[in-house]
Amino acid sequence: MMATVKLSFSPAPVHVRTARLVGVAVARRAGVREDLLDEVRLAIGEACTRAVALHRQYGLADLVLVEMSDNGAYSVRVVDRAPIEAGIGLAALPPDELAKESLSEDALTTGVGFALLAGFVEDLQVRPVEEGVGTEVRMVWPVGRS
């Protein structure tokens, strides 16, 4: 049976730690290998920090959504409600291209966040949630069930 945990929180940095703790607990229960749990913790923290920063930058009170599921693999979705051009514009750039671009400080921070996530997560997808608003960062790790 697939388990899904949904967590939503106001865009305050203090809540990122809670999301990390819950994410690692769910990963452990799902069967993610012990040696990958630090990567899970860092990736969830980075994705949530990015979402919180975008919400704060644009003055959004909308909740940040985190959804964790163990349907054959452990997947985590982090969804923000920031304008698309703010949050996803650099998603298609590989990390080595980020250094070549002439970017604003905010755009660079978002791009560095994606570069860090790509280093933590082999299966990383970033896509728009809906027309013009919101970005979904989806991360997947393998599970080893006995």
Side-chain angles (χ1 to χ4, degrees):
M1 184 169 122
M2 176 180 74
T4 301
V5 174
K6 292 183 181 183
L7 171 66
S8 47
F9 59 90
S10 58
V14 68
H15 300 308
V16 172
R17 182 174 188 266
T18 302
R20 284 193 317 248
L21 291 170
V22 171
V24 170
V26 174
R28 184 174 280 122
R29 185 180 182 286
V32 173
R33 290 188 342 242
E34 202 63 34
D35 63 319
L36 293 176
L37 294 179
D38 278 342
E39 292 175 17
V40 170
R41 180 180 54 78
L42 291 169
I44 292 172
E46 187 61 38
C48 289
T49 296
R50 180 195 153 278
V52 166
L54 286 169
H55 278 228
R56 292 170 67 90
Q57 177 183 344
Y58 287 92
L60 304 173
D62 300 57
L63 300 177
V64 173
L65 171 68
V66 181
E67 184 177 281
M68 301 157 230
S69 177
D70 69 351
N71 187 18
Y74 177 58
S75 66
V76 177
R77 293 176 60 233
V78 178
V79 180
D80 68 66
R81 303 300 298 161
I84 294 292
E85 63 274 4
I88 200 169
L90 300 173
L93 289 177
D96 58 327
E97 290 295 311
L98 291 170
K100 298 177 187 173
E101 297 296 316
S102 173
L103 304 169
S104 70
E105 186 174 319
D106 290 331
L108 185 59
T109 299
T110 301
V112 169
F114 285 132
L116 288 171
L117 281 171
F120 298 139
V121 185
E122 278 187 42
D123 189 350
L124 172 67
Q125 298 172 6
V126 181
R127 59 181 168 235
V129 175
E130 61 186 63
E131 185 85 23
V133 180
T135 304
E136 172 188 285
V137 174
R138 184 172 182 272
M139 305 166 286
V140 180
W141 291 271
V143 297
R145 300 209 192 278
S146 43

